[in-house]
Amino acid sequence: MAIAGEEMIYWYRLDPEKIERAVSMLIVRTHEGAQAIDGSGGDGGRDIVWQGPEGLVIFEVKSFSDSLTSSRKRQIKRSLRRASAHNPMRWVLILPLNQTPPSEKWFKSLKNEYPNILLEWRGKSWLDAQFAQFDDLRRLVEGDEYVLHERAREFEKEQAVLANGIDDVMDRNRNLVKRAQDISPCWGVGITANPDGTQEITLSEKYPGAADLDPVSIKPTFAFEIGDEEAESVRAQLEDVLNYGGDISVDERYLQSLDIEASEETKKLIGMDGKTGRFEISSIRDKEGFPLPAVLEVLDGTSQVQANLPVVFNERIGGSKGVKIVGSDASGVLAVTQTLDNPVDSRYRGSLNFSFGGIAEKIPYALRPIADFLSALSSDSTIELRLGSSPMSWGTLDGGQLEGLKETARVIIAIDEFQKIFSTQFRIPADLTHEDIRRIEMANDLMQHGSTDWIYDGIKMDIHPDRLESFLSKSENELGAILVRMEYQKFKIADKEFDLGPVQLHCSKMRIANWGELKDMSAGDGHPVARWVCMDGEKLRISRIANAENNGISI
């Protein structure tokens, strides 16, 4: 008899294999930590085991739905005998068949035979009640019959769709999502619609252990054109992710086919039908035993420590050939990856890799430890990774890497020193140029030492058109010295303006680079500008002075 509010399942019409599979899924789902036993090599009388509060519980699942014959009784008794060898506190027989007086009497004889084990019979009524709570399990055992029933039940609702506007549309959408969740008893599906019209499908376990009950194997076949630099770069990244773990998104033009090995229900859920699309791989992050503090050290040619940088490893990822331990410095800008191959004869081989993130919009003082560490590097330096007092691995940088990292360190140090001098804080501008860095370094030297080289090899001087002839006569020729005093020198960075104070520009040997052009100009013809450049290796110097009478200019 079906319990009120529940619809009876016709178990005798169903596939026995699906019944046993669905019941196993039910027990694993409703008993946390329960584990289904693969019976291909003999299950020892244990379909499912569970360490319950009272001790070991063994579940025996049978698909008998019409009668309990002598042969079937012998099967059950044999399973109980094998299970008793594991000393369970409780043994539970589950089958889609309620007890009859004869079967009740027979089961009581089993209880008398095994007085130290609590025996339970969970039959058809119990299964009907349980399956009424899980539509996905019911769909698994009933198949098309269940689907037709559900669609018929929704038919009347379909007639009134949009009668109440968007509320009906949302209600219909909820029903579709729910129906999608019922397709597989083990896997839930997440569907994300992107603005560009593409959709992302994500599979996740409905409960712990579901993946073991219904494993999914996805076998993509990729094709990369030889000689195509972009394709070969993607191939190399893919191989690294497959070998050692990581994340990658492969464009659909490289995905030739996608073969999925899974249960019939899960294949329906995924529903690819030979279609391909962007293929993404993301490794499972193992955080057990983390965070793990470590130190990077710069060693010179004599193995003396020149600088160090604390780092923290936060997770472990893995692939077919080995693992990666991933971490970073405190700012998160310098990423450190220790790659380890699977051990051979208890010996490990691996590599130490670094990647440097962008510094734009970062606070300079937070990056200063990285900058000091990078500044200590030279062509003969070795970088060693230490866990406590024990060295773990080491690595070196090639010339190209070293040059780029030291240039980054230069930028960080220049801006950090500038902020110390002017007692200010701002994030590193994203649009910072090489000229900006030269100006910042010049300002630092000027404020710290009183004088420094001007960043340009010359200056421009505006001449009033009516005074051009007088200027040329006083200069006599294109050679001379120059001294320019300014009562202020404005310096702008990150939308902030800084004043370097009264300064003077001076150089003893200069020439007017456009002397001929100026001589050919007549009074009132255009806007004359004299371009002074240094001679004989001389440099323009800028110095701070106590007083200045001339008007200031901005650079």
Side-chain angles (χ1 to χ4, degrees), residues 389-402:
S389 59
S390 303
M392 183 175 181
S393 62
W394 58 271
T396 59
L397 298 173
D398 62 36
Q401 289 177 304
L402 184 60

Side-chain angles (χ1 to χ4, degrees), residues 32-48:
E32 185 176 355
Q35 183 179 358
I37 303 298
D38 184 0
S40 59
D43 57 22
R46 302 167 299 159
D47 284 337
I48 306 163

